[in-house]
């Protein structure tokens, strides 16, 4: 898998936006490629800041396409697949989150970087019958904040952001404590999640 991931990373870096779309689609559907999308968005944005919005948009759309594939599988009887892959106990806990928070159970994980679980919630959104338009809105909102935020911060901090991203997989907790890029991303995620919860409670 590491060879495939390395090849895909090189492929996406060479193609730019279209390569980002393909990798994001695969990561959100058939494969598990943790952090590659974030690293690519950061690296490409630093190399070409004028295309920042294009790179973040392609990563968002690719992820949405992959999520829609998993969502469709869930709608077409994916409960058995979810039970086999995630286990009965985890499945029940995730379904309880959907019952309590609805589409926020997709939006918040979409914001979070790896290793936060995400695919389980995408598949279960289909199983739980979350309306398609709400599902799409949740994924687009979460992924847009994540990728646009990473790209903007990457341009702001330049090569420091690339160096931090290269270390993020093996030293995530130290990076969060030590680097302003990580602090800003985590802070933005927390604020967005808190705002979503507050809005839902107010509507309730």
């Amino acid at each position: 898998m590491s060879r495939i991931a390395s090849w895909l990373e090189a492929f996406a870096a060479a193609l730019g936006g279209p390569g980002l779309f393909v990798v994001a689609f695969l990561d959100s559907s058939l494969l598990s490629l943790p952090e590659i999308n974030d690293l690519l968005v950061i690296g490409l944005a630093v190399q070409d800041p004028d295309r920042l919005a294009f790179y973040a948009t392609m990563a968002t759309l690719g992820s949405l396409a992959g999520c829609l594939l998993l969502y469709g599988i869930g709608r077409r009887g994916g409960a058995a697949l979810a039970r086999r892959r995630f286990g009965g106990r985890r499945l029940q806990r995730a379904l309880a989150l959907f019952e309590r928070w609805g589409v926020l159970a997709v939006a918040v994980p979409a914001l979070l970087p790896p290793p936060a679980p995400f695919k389980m919630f995408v598949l279960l959104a289909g199983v739980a019958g979350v309306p398609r338009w709400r599902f799409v809105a949740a994924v687009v909102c979460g992924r847009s904040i994540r990728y646009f935020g990473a790209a903007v911060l990457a341009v702001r901090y330049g090569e420091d952001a690339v160096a931090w991203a290269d270390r993020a997989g093996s030293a995530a907790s130290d990076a969060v404590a030590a680097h302003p890029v990580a602090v800003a991303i985590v802070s933005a995620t927390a604020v967005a999640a808190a705002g979503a919860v507050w809005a839902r409670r107010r509507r309730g």
Side-chain angles (χ1 to χ4, degrees), residues 192-204:
V197 171
W198 175 84
R200 179 176 176 84
R201 287 183 175 176
R202 182 166 182 172
R203 286 199 304 271

Side-chain angles (χ1 to χ4, degrees), residues 153 156-157 160-161 164 167 174-188:
L153 290 169
R156 167 66 178 83
Y157 290 102
D160 287 342
W164 170 79
R167 297 192 304 269
D174 292 341
V176 168
H179 202 284
V181 176
V183 172
I185 291 175
V186 172
S187 299

